[in-house]
Amino acid sequence: MKNSLFIRFLRKDLFLGLNSNKTRYFLSLLLFVYLSYMFTKELSIAENKASSITNFWFYFFQGIGVYNPSSGVPFVIPFTWIIIQVIIALLVLNYPSRDLFTTGVQSLIRIKKRSYWWTSKCIWNFVTIIFVYLVAFICAFIFSAFLGEISLNFSDDFFCLQKNYNGSIIVIIYLMPVLTSIAISMVQMLISILLKPIYSFVIVICYLIVSSYYCSPILIGNYSMLLRSSVFDIGKINFITAVIVDVLVIIFSAIIGLFYFNRVDIIKKG
Amino acid sequence: MDINIENLTKTINGINVLDNINIILNSGKIYGLSGKNGSGKTMLMRAICGLIKPTSGKIQIGEGVLGKDFSFPPSIGVLIENPSFVPRYSGFKNLKIIASIQNKIDDNQIKNTIKSVGLDPIDRRPYRKYSLGMKQRLGIACAIMENPKIILLDEPTNALDESGIKLIKELLINIRDDRIIIISCHDKEELHYLSDEIFVISEGKVIDHKLVE
């Protein structure tokens, strides 16, 4: 009975949360279509006629290599990567706090447990992130199909990379951006409940820009830039470390949020 | 079922927004909370529905203590401050989404509740196009639709005209039998019209308790 109450509440959250993001998903679709088109153009210039789904995916989420401030080369913000992160940050921006002060009060008195509210928002967060990556995957799939190579193989020739890894690189390429986005968006959701959605957005974007400048395991934005993975000779981020840190960030954000939400007075912040 | 509030104090930023409140509320009555803006009426309602946690004291609802035996009252409907719904959905769809959580009532019951507050259940206009009075009526419908044992209505007469207030009065009288209904209002005349008993609140304290004849 209690489980079904939670399931019904979760269903409501997914329905309202995903519906409220329709425009932002459409924006993400436009962005990935544009990026796919740009990659296709670059391929034709390089006289490559086909490219796999994974190559498209890599193109979207490659970010930039490790920046060395002492090199004298000016730092260039990785705009493509930042725009993707901005769209993801917008997707998780305000549904939880808006829900809390609109229909959320009606929901809370009906589900009777604050922990249900927070848990449901965490699941909504996961689903929201997975959806945007699904949009990216579908775009990659369609464009690679047009080019006649529907496969998950990764060919590093086009990107001029050297692999330092013998195992399957595919897992890293697909897992790291998704897992890191979930971790960052969990922190963002926590800050939006602690402070305000707009603060959480600004903090996350600043953090990501700093992540693109400094390569450090503490700055987890680095984990979602594939070029910074140590599986390539230009990268420094160890896959196992990144997965462990991401998972810990997700778990701690969920626990801190639960702890906080169970105790907080629900009064609209001025 | 009774609500027994004992020595309830809530302190926010060093200020007692509720100060040693002791009241007993019984089923079958409509209680009014009177007081100026910022006197603590809404805070008291928030405390009763479990949205804020008391700094000291307790709220006993039936056999259980709020915050100890349950986080929220077992059966409650609320309209706190302004009604808030999803702007792009109709009134019916908004209530259906909320009702789907407990799954206690069907579409017909939702439609009947909407009718009972003087709205058209088949009105397809989105909520954002509702007038203030219509929004208020929908908020009241949301609070009463699942026949809760406790109904809290914060300023239910806001934006309602005379006929709207009369309709709400009749509605509350019809449903009060085995329920505790608490309403707050800063307009003394309207509160007298709607309530059986009135608690006057000032600076977080109950300073008067009157029976309405």
Side-chain angles (χ1 to χ4, degrees), chain B residues 12 65 109 130 160 179 199 209:
Chain B
I12 297 176
V65 175
Q109 286 166 292
Y130 277 27
L160 292 185
R179 294 184 176 84
F199 292 98
H209 175 207

Side-chain angles (χ1 to χ4, degrees), chain A residues 5 8-9 12 15-16 19-20 101-103 105-112 114 262 265-267, chain B residues 10 43 46 50-53 71-74 76 78 84 88-89 97-98 100-103 142 146:
Chain A
L5 187 69
R8 286 196 296 267
F9 179 61
K12 175 224 152 210
F15 174 74
L16 289 182
N19 253 305
S20 70
F101 297 111
T102 54
T103 57
V105 168
Q106 299 297 340
S107 306
L108 268 172
I109 61 161
R110 285 168 173 84
I111 53 172
K112 312 284 181 201
R114 288 170 180 241
N262 270 331
D265 289 329
I266 299 167
I267 303 171
Chain B
K10 177 68 186 175
M43 273 300 166
R46 284 183 181 278
L51 294 175
I52 62 166
K53 311 236 170 181
S71 299
F72 297 94
I76 189 167
V78 300
S84 292
R88 64 184 177 280
Y89 295 143
I97 289 169
I98 291 166
S100 71
I101 297 169
Q102 290 196 318
N103 206 21
C142 184
E146 287 152 324

Side-chain angles (χ1 to χ4, degrees), chain A residues 218-234:
Chain A
I218 302 166
L219 299 165
I220 66 170
N222 279 290
Y223 305 166
S224 72
M225 281 190 271
L226 294 172
L227 283 176
R228 295 201 175 171
S229 172
S230 60
V231 296
F232 304 112
D233 65 346
I234 58 166

